[in-house]
Amino acid sequence: MSSKKFISIGLVCAMLAGTVLAGCNNGTANTNSQTPTQSTSEQSASGESIKLPENGGFTTTSYELSKDKYRTYYEIFPYSFYDSDGDGIGDFKGITSKLDYLNDGDTKTTTDLGVEGIWLMPIMPSPSYHKYNISDYKAIDKAYGTMDDFKEFLTEAHKRNINVIIDFVINHTSRQHEWYQKAIEELKAGKTDGYVQYYHFKENNDEKGWNKAGVGDWYYECEFDADMPDLNLTNEKVRSELEDIVKFWLDMGVDGFRLDAVKYYESTGTEDSVKDLKWLYDYAKSVKDDVYMVGECWDASGVIANYYKSGVDSFFNFDMQGATGRVNTSLNKEDALGYAQSLEKWQDTIKASNPNAIDAPFISNHDTARSAGFLSTLTSKKMAAAMYILAPGNSFIYYGEEIGMTGSKTDPDKRTGMYWESKDAKGYVKSIPQSTNRDVPEKSVKEQLEDENSLLSFYKRVIALKNQNPEIARGDITAVDLGNKAVSGYVSSYNDSKVMVIYNVSGKGETVTIPSDKFTVSEVRGYAVADSGDMQDDTKAAVDDLLDLGTGTESSAETSEESKITDFAVNGSQVTLPAYSVIVLK
């Protein structure tokens, strides 16, 4: 069953619960989804009508640049981002030329995406296209340019207040790395100390995850691939080498690291891997006190929570992502309350392990199916973005997600060229040889920048909401039950200031009342509408199919009063939200 059908059926069930005929209406979707008309409602029984900011607060409210570790990050696969020299491969000069797209450094402009962090996938020399098997930790892969190109990129990123973290792959190296080559020479000479101890070698060990070294009966551990021999991270000489590498990059100006495959650091279990992480993080902080690290522990939340004991700032929130993740599931079930409660519970859990923990929510990355594959409508893509970007912590956007790029089979298929304008336009990269994905979004970056109702324009809006309200990322949150599970959210408290984020994940407009003991509204900080009309169209078709009522005008004319709501309104404690929308209150 496609995710599009799944979403539709979820909406159908909610509509059928009221009345069969009313469930068949198509509603009156707000087609101008980005700029709903301001409410003209006067004073109500629940209090004074509160003025709404012009254009949802997007074009009228600037924000202060982030000076701490809290930022919205953008993941880039350099190969596939932008090619500056015509060789068909993306490079640092290409990324530098597109920095103003990500953030132009001016908080009052609305032409840029608004991210304040970049995560670069591996940039060091490697024999593979993905570069997760490194052959030299202190160099730049020549396909991406020179070290001077990288330094220029760093300088220009920092001018725009964009922090840069790089992938740091230390679970394993490439067999082409000098350390491994020297280890093999030692084995051939009958030695088992020195560089042999940099890795895990055993004789007569043909267990899974081990590979023949080509010297006698020696085997080496390689959890992922034969060209990825695992490092011995408890070896003091290895640690000294890695500390030197950490200092090399931090001294150059890198702001931190994304740590690959942390759950595999030690085969002896979580506790020993956590010890490795603590050593690494503590050393990095001794070099750069505000270093930021985010770890990849692809596992259940209970396991991830244990890794926060290492002191590392963040670990990716894998329970959020994918077709079965919390964002998509909550959207399909029209369960904003359950989603808000899960955010509160997770924040409490990770802060119990590390009081300084920063969550790292995402909905897709280079290892997972792209979100446009399981979010089948424009409305669902937009609403999912609002849900995870406006969650506490540092949200991570995968390049191209903001324009609806697809890819769900092999890893190369998930890493195709950024669709700036067209496939024959300057800067478009050639396909990775292993990729079979030739799909491109319906609209390019250029086209979506010119369309205020596009997915890209919506991403800019919700990122701006997060930037304009520092409480969202940094605050301690409490989920609030508003008596309607489809319309709910959380209160976030930070530095004696509170904001409330309310999501409406249903297909109709709703009015809710905020309990007086939970939050008092003084200001509307901003809002955004995800509804593009396609969710309602899908729902009507699904209802018609199930009830065999055809597509006559009778059902479409029976539009409920609730579904006619296309505007926001805030009257004292009463808040009205259109279908598929989000509002931020102060």
Side-chain angles (χ1 to χ4, degrees), residues 452-521:
E452 66 175 7
N453 295 322
S454 68
L455 181 61
L456 173 56
S457 292
F458 188 83
Y459 266 76
K460 291 196 295 183
R461 285 177 173 272
V462 293
I463 294 170
L465 276 177
K466 197 164 190 175
N467 290 341
Q468 292 162 6
N469 297 278
E471 301 93 339
I472 294 175
R474 298 161 179 82
D476 295 323
I477 71 166
T478 303
V480 180
D481 186 346
L482 299 176
N484 180 343
K485 78 169 190 174
V487 186
S488 193
Y490 64 85
V491 173
S492 186
S493 304
Y494 173 71
N495 282 355
D496 298 322
S497 178
K498 292 183 179 182
V499 298
M500 186 172 186
V501 179
I502 303 177
Y503 302 103
N504 179 1
V505 297
S506 76
K508 63 179 182 178
E510 300 276 10
T511 298
V512 292
T513 300
I514 302 173
S516 59
D517 62 332
K518 300 296 184 183
F519 190 79
T520 301
V521 184

Side-chain angles (χ1 to χ4, degrees), residues 295-317:
E296 179 208 26
C297 177
W298 194 336
D299 212 319
S301 58
V303 177
I304 296 172
N306 283 328
Y307 277 83
Y308 273 99
K309 295 176 182 178
S310 65
V312 169
D313 303 291
S314 301
F315 291 88
F316 291 111
N317 190 335

